[in-house]
Amino acid sequence: MTVQEVRLCGLLLQQHFGNVVEKVGTHLIRSGVLTLRALAYETKLPLDLVKKSLCVLVQHGMCTFGAGRRGPAGPVEYRINCESIIHMLRYPRYIYTAKSLYGDTGELIVEEILQRGQMTMSSTVRTVADRLTNNMPEGQSMDYSEVVSAFSRLVETHFLQRCPPLASAGSSSSTLDTPLPAATQPTEPESHPDCYKLPYINLTGQGKRRRSSEGGEADQRAAKKARTDNSECGDDGIHWQVNFQRFHLHFRDQAIISAVSCKLDQSSSEIVRTMLRMSEVTTPAHAAFTQALSSNEIFRALQSSYNIARPNLDQYLSLLVDDPMEFVGKTGDSGGGMYVVNLHRALANLARATLESVVQERFGSRSARIFRLLLRKRHLEQKQVEDFAMIPAKEAKDMLYTLLSENLVQLQEIPKTPDYAPSRTFYLYTVNQLPTARLLLQHCYKTVCNLIERRLYETKENKRLLEKSQRIEAILASLQATEAEAAQLTEVEEMITVPERQQLESLRHHINKLDSSENQVDESIFLLESYIKSTQASR
Amino acid sequence: MAGRGRGQLTFSVEIVGIGKGENLPPSSVQPTPLFPPLDQKPVPLQTGEEAEYMLALKQEFRGAMKTLPFYIRPAAPKKDVERYSDKYQKIETSDHSLEWKPDWRRFPKELRVREKRPLRDKSPAVPKQPKQPRVDKEEIIRKLETLEQKEEDGSSDEEEGEKKKPQEEEAEGEEEYDEEEFEDETDYIMSYFDNGEEFGGDSDENVDEAIY
């Protein structure tokens, strides 16, 4: 794990789970694999807190445990999964995607499961129905069956999956401890045959509106009742988690479709969308290209609303194939032409566009020209760079050295003689896309860390002011509940002076800016990560 | 790669493009500044409904996670002196009904934290049993002592009665005053002792008895 990744994981754990979990998590990331006793000893935290933190991490799928190096008789060892911690940056995007595909119900289901890590179907349905009922006008309530149908649709399209079972789950009554699977080979959720099978539950009813007058008593009773009802619904022990990989495939498809629509036009992007949808189920996760589809099949699958006639379809397909971005490739002539979507090449092109735009925004358009030139021509000498880029020698030199010092461009030596004499060696400038993408990915992680730390700093600086405004809001709310006079309300509002109000406003503005910057950097992180993974898978 | 100075490079600088006697920028001897001046201004952030909705989702998610039981706060630091208000503050924080109960079949057994709740129904029954014989013993000891006191005081009662006759007014006044005082304010002490004699009056003689 790189330094920036560890720092980012620590900040994300602290934001969502508190300082204790952050300490435990970062220590475990740095040490690799540890037992419970070793972890408690090295972090110098009380054993109870360490146990609770590990429970929280295991619940959210960020920590895996298994039999250690001493075999099944030895102590259990724990290991952190850094990727799933970094996915926390992308949670808003997952929730938003669920909303756009399956409406408010889908959005709330995914949000609840992300907040709690794993949940059973019945508890999810109940919680979501209650939340929806609270937002509805008085007198209406959400029926459980609607939520169940939204849940089933999410499972059918593989956005939700069952949590992988443990080996020792079935034998809790045996006296000997059955061996847990070794910590080095976690069971893949997809290897379980019932991964996407919905359990049969008999759950009927409607969401309950939470009445504020009943207070905490009703909540306590409801919570206890929910727990005892779980086992009666027939899906005890079957927990569901979010399938991040499926969401990532969806984002990748979205990125390709929007790139095609930017480069060509709307109709071509619809054709590519149809091709991707047809090959959703048949293409494995990190495949380099989709299954071959014939032109006839594509025509049949095209929605009539797009209004694309048969000869137009063929023209569009040939345009897509001839495009230098190489999104679509032709693999044969049977059935009117066999076409595939080149996933790996599309991702590589998207990553390349990201790199080029970073150089352009950082160093100017002429440096970007040199960078693009080196990407295309691979190896060039100093003189050739000046000639091809049509930039005067001095400026080209300056720009090249800046890029070299930032490590975006590398120098390659090619000797003419075995003794590497300087006068008899070629020195060529070159850009390697994969290492440069990795470098930029680490820069992105560092950027997000800096954004989070700046946000924490701003919040800490203005803590007094924020607390004051919260207290005043609470006072106002209680006054309004008891229907006080307008004079009292204005008096309370005036407790915050005008310059303080301005300060609060600017603080809110800054924090919003920092948060949305994090979201935007996460988009670049996703593109670069997918490109790197796809390259590694295709090797 | 550059060696210790321009004169000691491993390759001829002409090839890389630096001519002879040309002015190179001075080599830097400090780390780069923390906030370097930007030549190009960054591109403005994306705005629009989608960006704002995701921003709201992010902030709500963060706020919600703080209220869930997964947010573990470190134990409060122990104060140097025990304060009276600690007794009342501690009860507010333990809200067991909203705590999260994981499915222990999916977790290793060693992570299970066994909590000792003093409010559980079963627990008072268990410690009562070992306490009861002790209580019985204490009661028996006390009863024996009071009986002893009664015997001794019973014998000295007659003596006191004779002694106090000359000191009727004062002693009785004192006794009455003492008794009344004790009856009014500290009534229960009289019934607690239950020996009918004055409180602490004859205690000079009975040094080996326990003084309550």
Side-chain angles (χ1 to χ4, degrees):
Chain A
M1 283 293 117
T2 66
V3 170
Q4 301 303 333
E5 284 176 23
V6 174
R7 195 175 147 215
L8 180 59
C9 290
L11 282 169
L12 286 170
L13 285 177
Q14 186 194 18
Q15 294 269 283
H16 292 109
F17 299 121
N19 283 327
V20 178
V21 180
E22 185 244 330
K23 228 187 260 183
V24 170
T26 22
H27 190 82
L28 200 49
I29 296 176
R30 289 210 176 98
S31 329
V33 190
L34 277 180
T35 59
L36 175 62
R37 291 271 161 197
L39 189 58
Y41 175 71
E42 285 174 24
T43 51
K44 304 207 178 9
L45 288 169
L47 193 62
D48 272 357
L49 282 182
V50 175
K51 284 187 190 175
K52 273 191 199 159
S53 324
L54 283 174
C55 282
V56 167
L57 288 171
V58 171
Q59 168 80 5
H60 282 81
M62 293 166 190
C63 174
T64 50
F65 58 90
R69 284 160 282 194
R70 298 219 199 113
V76 178
E77 286 188 347
Y78 300 91
R79 166 199 303 260
I80 292 260
N81 183 7
C82 268
E83 263 185 37
S84 45
I85 302 182
I86 297 183
H87 286 161
M88 275 209 269
L89 265 184
R90 220 167 282 151
Y91 280 4
R93 205 171 165 193
Y94 299 142
I95 301 173
Y96 184 75
T97 310
K99 181 191 173 84
S100 58
L101 291 175
Y102 297 107
D104 283 339
T105 325
E107 174 195 4
L108 284 182
I109 291 176
V110 171
E111 188 177 346
E112 279 295 318
I113 299 188
L114 281 174
Q115 275 179 2
R116 297 195 178 254
Q118 312 168 355
M119 276 179 100
T120 56
M121 184 166 167
S122 41
S123 52
T124 319
V125 167
R126 264 192 225 105
T127 329
V128 171
D130 288 344
R131 272 180 77 173
L132 283 169
T133 311
N134 271 325
N135 292 339
M136 283 168 139
E138 279 286 339
Q140 292 180 20
S141 68
M142 188 61 153
D143 201 35
Y144 281 175
S145 56
E146 283 183 46
V147 185
V148 168
S149 68
F151 195 98
S152 336
R153 264 180 289 146
L154 277 166
V155 172
E156 275 163 16
T157 44
H158 294 236
F159 282 110
L160 293 176
Q161 63 185 179
R162 281 202 204 187
C163 299
L166 298 174
S168 59
S171 51
S172 49
S173 56
S174 65
T175 49
L176 293 167
D177 276 338
T178 46
L180 298 166
T184 47
Q185 301 137 19
T187 49
E188 282 294 316
E190 299 244 314
S191 57
H192 190 222
D194 289 337
C195 188
Y196 299 111
K197 198 168 93 171
L198 281 166
Y200 175 69
I201 56 172
N202 54 351
L203 188 67
T204 49
Q206 296 185 328
K208 291 168 199 43
R209 189 179 295 275
R210 180 174 56 208
R211 309 232 173 265
S212 51
S213 52
E214 285 175 9
E217 268 294 314
D219 284 341
Q220 282 183 25
R221 265 187 275 120
K224 281 188 191 153
K225 199 172 162 229
R227 264 183 272 131
T228 48
D229 278 350
N230 246 347
S231 45
E232 298 164 9
C233 269
D235 73 336
D236 191 31
I238 303 174
H239 296 265
W240 298 86
Q241 66 188 15
V242 172
N243 183 4
F244 295 122
Q245 217 181 46
R246 177 71 183 88
F247 273 105
H248 293 166
L249 295 180
H250 181 85
F251 296 156
R252 178 199 68 189
D253 294 347
Q254 263 184 337
I256 295 177
I257 292 166
S258 66
V260 172
S261 80
C262 283
K263 187 101 199 283
L264 298 174
D265 74 336
Q266 183 72 10
S267 316
S268 356
S269 75
E270 300 298 344
I271 295 174
V272 175
R273 189 200 299 268
T274 318
M275 287 175 76
L276 283 168
R277 198 180 302 146
M278 283 163 69
S279 43
E280 243 171 26
V281 242
T282 49
T283 316
H286 290 296
F289 39 79
T290 60
Q291 292 272 0
L293 300 164
S294 72
S295 168
N296 299 330
E297 282 176 354
I298 300 173
F299 183 65
R300 270 198 298 269
L302 264 183
Q303 288 185 10
S304 51
S305 56
Y306 297 151
N307 251 342
I308 302 177
R310 187 56 208 268
N312 290 346
L313 172 69
D314 288 331
Q315 279 180 348
Y316 273 121
L317 282 170
S318 58
L319 258 177
L320 279 165
V321 169
D322 291 334
D323 189 71
M325 290 289 240
E326 288 181 340
F327 288 118
V328 175
K330 188 164 182 180
T331 55
D333 288 316
S334 56
M338 302 292 280
Y339 296 95
V340 288
V341 177
N342 293 321
L343 296 166
H344 173 64
R345 212 159 295 167
L347 278 175
N349 284 331
L350 285 170
R352 185 165 52 82
T354 313
L355 299 182
E356 285 170 11
S357 97
V358 166
V359 174
Q360 181 167 337
E361 294 304 327
R362 266 257 159 112
F363 302 107
S365 50
R366 297 209 283 181
S367 305
R369 207 190 311 162
I370 295 179
F371 189 79
R372 272 197 293 266
L373 188 67
L374 284 170
L375 267 175
R376 229 140 274 186
K377 302 265 186 186
R378 307 295 172 93
H379 296 274
L380 286 176
E381 274 187 341
Q382 168 81 35
K383 192 91 184 32
Q384 286 172 307
V385 169
E386 292 163 19
D387 291 337
F388 281 128
M390 293 180 285
I391 296 175
K394 233 180 238 172
E395 291 166 34
K397 227 181 336 177
D398 211 16
M399 289 175 202
L400 266 174
Y401 295 156
T402 323
L403 288 175
L404 193 62
S405 66
E406 297 281 337
N407 235 342
L408 290 163
V409 158
Q410 281 91 42
L411 205 56
Q412 169 81 37
E413 299 167 354
I414 301 187
K416 291 186 222 174
T417 55
D419 63 351
Y420 276 84
S423 56
R424 291 188 291 273
T425 324
F426 288 116
Y427 292 95
L428 301 174
Y429 289 99
T430 181
V431 176
N432 290 324
Q433 194 169 332
L434 186 60
T436 316
R438 281 190 216 264
L439 173 76
L440 273 186
L441 183 61
Q442 297 304 315
H443 280 334
C444 287
Y445 289 144
K446 186 173 178 182
T447 310
V448 179
C449 291
N450 289 346
L451 286 168
I452 295 178
E453 288 205 1
R454 179 72 198 196
R455 180 163 45 83
L456 291 175
Y457 171 78
E458 294 265 332
T459 320
K460 205 169 71 163
E461 282 285 296
N462 295 299
K463 197 167 143 183
R464 187 198 70 86
L465 194 58
L466 277 171
E467 278 175 7
K468 181 176 174 184
S469 80
Q470 276 172 2
R471 256 181 292 134
I472 290 188
E473 275 175 28
I475 295 174
L476 272 176
S478 63
L479 277 181
Q480 276 171 353
T482 57
E483 288 171 4
E485 302 166 353
Q488 272 181 319
L489 288 173
T490 44
E491 198 185 307
V492 172
E493 275 173 9
E494 274 167 19
M495 279 163 67
I496 305 185
T497 62
V498 173
E500 279 184 346
R501 221 179 270 276
Q502 282 176 347
Q503 210 181 336
L504 265 177
E505 197 45 54
S506 78
L507 171 69
R508 211 155 285 162
H509 180 69
H510 289 161
I511 290 186
N512 285 349
K513 245 196 173 161
L514 291 167
D515 268 331
S516 41
S517 315
E518 280 176 43
N519 284 342
Q520 246 189 278
V521 176
D522 179 64
E523 288 182 19
S524 309
I525 288 180
F526 171 70
L527 270 177
L528 292 171
E529 267 182 0
S530 319
Y531 163 62
I532 292 171
K533 259 196 223 132
S534 165
T535 319
Q536 279 173 335
S538 65
R539 282 210 182 146
Chain B
M1 178 181 100
R4 267 168 253 109
R6 249 190 56 204
Q8 297 171 22
L9 288 171
T10 53
F11 59 92
S12 138
V13 289
E14 276 134 10
I15 297 199
V16 195
I18 307 175
K20 259 197 179 164
E22 228 184 275
N23 284 338
L24 282 175
S27 48
S28 56
V29 292
Q30 334 166 334
T32 49
L34 200 54
F35 294 110
L38 285 177
D39 296 326
Q40 326 267 340
K41 294 290 173 209
V43 180
L45 287 174
Q46 282 175 0
T47 49
E49 201 196 306
E50 188 179 325
E52 283 177 20
Y53 195 79
M54 289 226 279
L55 172 68
L57 277 175
K58 187 183 176 91
Q59 289 177 336
E60 271 173 29
F61 192 85
R62 221 175 23 231
M65 289 302 274
K66 286 215 160 78
T67 60
L68 284 177
F70 304 117
Y71 197 90
I72 297 181
R73 294 183 166 84
K78 281 197 176 150
K79 299 201 184 84
D80 46 358
V81 178
E82 238 184 69
R83 299 185 196 265
Y84 182 74
S85 59
D86 284 349
K87 191 167 65 168
Y88 296 100
Q89 279 172 0
K90 210 169 116 185
I91 293 180
E92 287 171 10
T93 52
S94 59
D95 197 359
H96 290 294
S97 61
L98 292 176
E99 245 183 48
W100 153 60
K101 282 254 178 301
D103 185 0
W104 290 111
R105 291 168 293 182
R106 301 188 57 84
F107 288 77
K109 288 192 188 134
E110 60 181 9
L111 287 185
R112 191 152 189 179
V113 178
R114 306 240 172 237
E115 283 189 16
K116 293 167 194 158
R117 291 194 217 171
L119 304 170
R120 239 195 264 163
D121 297 324
K122 290 183 190 170
S123 52
V126 174
K128 257 183 189 168
Q129 286 166 6
K131 272 187 192 166
Q132 274 174 353
R134 260 185 273 138
V135 168
D136 292 338
K137 282 183 197 164
E138 280 176 7
E139 272 182 359
I140 291 170
I141 291 173
R142 261 186 236 151
K143 276 185 189 166
L144 287 172
E145 286 177 353
T146 49
L147 283 170
E148 278 188 54
Q149 261 202 337
K150 267 188 189 170
E151 280 182 25
E152 292 190 0
D153 293 337
S155 60
S156 62
D157 218 2
E158 296 156 15
E159 291 175 38
E160 281 175 12
E162 288 169 16
K163 277 184 192 171
K164 276 176 187 174
K165 273 178 187 174
Q167 301 172 4
E168 276 178 355
E169 294 176 3
E170 295 178 50
E172 283 183 1
E174 278 180 13
E175 276 182 326
E176 282 176 4
Y177 180 68
D178 284 341
E179 279 184 5
E180 281 174 9
E181 194 186 13
F182 281 119
E183 277 177 11
D184 288 339
E185 292 176 25
T186 53
D187 215 7
Y188 65 98
I189 290 183
M190 296 302 293
S191 57
Y192 183 63
F193 287 128
D194 205 20
N195 55 5
E197 297 304 313
E198 12 184 310
F199 174 57
D202 291 327
S203 54
D204 294 331
E205 298 169 20
N206 304 328
V207 182
D208 41 337
E209 293 289 334
I211 300 174
Y212 297 106

